[in-house]
Amino acid sequence: MRLTVSAHDDTRKLIVLAVDDELAGLDELSHGLQNNPHIHRVFQASDASDALRLFSHDDPELAARRASGLPTVDAVFADIDMPGLSGMEMSRVIAAMNPSPVLVFVTGHAEEAVNAFDLGAVDYVLKPFQQDRLDRSVARVREKLATVAGPPAGQGGAEPVKNDDEVIPVELAGTTKLIPRSSVRWVEAQGDYARLFTTEGSHLVRIPLAQLEERWEKAGFVRIHRSFLVALPLITEMRMGQGGYQVVIGNEEKVLPVSRRHTRALKDRIVGSGRGG
């Protein structure tokens, strides 16, 4: 383990851990993180076991963070495909820590994106990456930290706290695109998959509708039918149709069926949100 690489000498900025079993990949990742003006220190680990040892390391700055109730590092930027303990297995351990650092995956394997976001990762960077792409990841880490604990120490609340908007990875012609949950208007079940309908079109993802219902309930999504999940604030009308109740979504007059099983709960949610219909 290469314990640390000094970056910008400013303790108000982030301390991060870079993990990659390939030396060239570790150097590139660490160099990119050092180049970001919001990074204070970059620790390096060449495998998952070394990375986990950092969380009990006696480095004075890390020990002080733990003593004050902060995570040992602000964020972990990790590869996935590593010998022994994989990056995904390592991240499950890290995600279970309290408090836990923010997770970012930096990898050449796009197929693990769904699992990564299930662990609460804020970003999924595909290799090879450019500096601006890594900088966007650092920005997401800072936004996440601002959401859960206010702005980084010493910044005196200068940056507004932003809402935690989950993103869903979608495969498009070999490229992983991140779809913000806030852009999703409704979701339709298609077997073991779900189709996300946004203002820009639709995207098929391999996530069961029941799983999205559980994850997005607190974000205002409501199940109206065995095949449909809808963003409650976008329902503009609930009416009786030919085969039962229906809802109208937004201004585009999209009409979706409401099953008898979900009618009462939906009415209660609409009334509870302060809207009649």
Side-chain angles (χ1 to χ4, degrees), residues 75-80 88 91 102-107 109 112-126 129-144 164-169 176-179:
V76 177
F77 291 76
D79 190 16
I80 288 179
M88 197 66 69
S91 297
V102 180
L103 290 172
V104 175
F105 288 95
V106 184
T107 178
H109 301 275
E112 290 283 0
V114 171
N115 292 331
F117 286 104
D118 281 345
L119 282 173
V122 300
D123 205 358
Y124 194 90
V125 181
L126 286 177
F129 57 84
Q130 300 297 320
Q131 182 67 45
D132 62 342
R133 180 65 184 88
L134 194 61
D135 289 343
R136 291 201 299 273
S137 286
V138 173
R140 286 177 177 170
V141 168
R142 297 180 72 237
E143 288 174 4
K144 177 68 174 180
D164 182 14
D165 186 17
E166 182 182 347
V167 292
I168 297 295
T176 301
K177 182 178 181 181
L178 302 178
I179 305 298

Side-chain angles (χ1 to χ4, degrees), residues 213 223-226 258-266:
E213 178 186 11
R223 190 75 169 263
I224 65 167
H225 189 277
R226 66 180 181 181
V258 180
S259 68
R260 187 173 301 174
R261 172 187 172 188
H262 294 93
T263 297
R264 173 49 57 191
L266 179 59

Side-chain angles (χ1 to χ4, degrees), residues 33 144 197 246 262 274:
L33 290 169
K144 177 68 174 180
F197 288 85
Q246 302 170 331
H262 294 93

Side-chain angles (χ1 to χ4, degrees), residues 76-263:
V76 177
F77 291 76
D79 190 16
I80 288 179
D81 189 15
M82 295 188 290
L85 195 68
S86 73
M88 197 66 69
E89 292 167 331
M90 176 196 72
S91 297
R92 289 191 179 95
V93 176
I94 292 174
M97 295 177 178
N98 187 21
S100 62
V102 180
L103 290 172
V104 175
F105 288 95
V106 184
T107 178
H109 301 275
E111 64 273 10
E112 290 283 0
V114 171
N115 292 331
F117 286 104
D118 281 345
L119 282 173
V122 300
D123 205 358
Y124 194 90
V125 181
L126 286 177
K127 299 177 182 178
F129 57 84
Q130 300 297 320
Q131 182 67 45
D132 62 342
R133 180 65 184 88
L134 194 61
D135 289 343
R136 291 201 299 273
S137 286
V138 173
R140 286 177 177 170
V141 168
R142 297 180 72 237
E143 288 174 4
K144 177 68 174 180
L145 292 171
T147 299
V148 298
Q155 295 199 3
E159 296 185 12
V161 173
K162 298 186 179 181
N163 292 329
D164 182 14
D165 186 17
E166 182 182 347
V167 292
I168 297 295
V170 174
E171 294 300 314
L172 293 172
T175 300
T176 301
K177 182 178 181 181
L178 302 178
I179 305 298
R181 180 182 58 205
S182 58
S183 71
V184 178
R185 305 177 74 76
W186 75 89
V187 186
E188 182 177 0
Q190 296 188 358
D192 291 334
Y193 291 75
R195 183 168 292 280
L196 312 178
F197 288 85
T198 71
T199 54
E200 298 177 351
S202 67
H203 310 277
L204 191 65
V205 294
R206 192 170 185 175
I207 304 175
L209 191 66
Q211 184 176 334
L212 283 180
E213 178 186 11
E214 181 179 349
R215 281 166 49 176
W216 290 5
E217 180 182 8
K218 292 182 179 179
F221 281 77
V222 59
R223 190 75 169 263
I224 65 167
H225 189 277
R226 66 180 181 181
S227 297
F228 294 103
L229 184 67
V230 173
L232 182 64
L234 298 182
I235 296 177
T236 56
E237 186 178 343
M238 182 175 180
R239 65 194 184 197
M240 179 62 74
Q242 212 168 20
Y245 276 100
Q246 302 170 331
V247 292
V248 179
I249 308 299
N251 297 324
E252 69 267 30
E253 294 294 316
K254 176 65 182 180
V255 178
L256 297 174
V258 180
S259 68
R260 187 173 301 174
R261 172 187 172 188
H262 294 93
T263 297

Side-chain angles (χ1 to χ4, degrees), residues 43-62:
F43 285 80
Q44 298 175 310
S46 57
D47 60 45
S49 297
D50 273 351
L52 293 175
R53 278 193 282 271
L54 178 72
F55 290 88
S56 58
H57 197 272
D58 59 1
D59 177 273
E61 190 169 17
L62 301 187

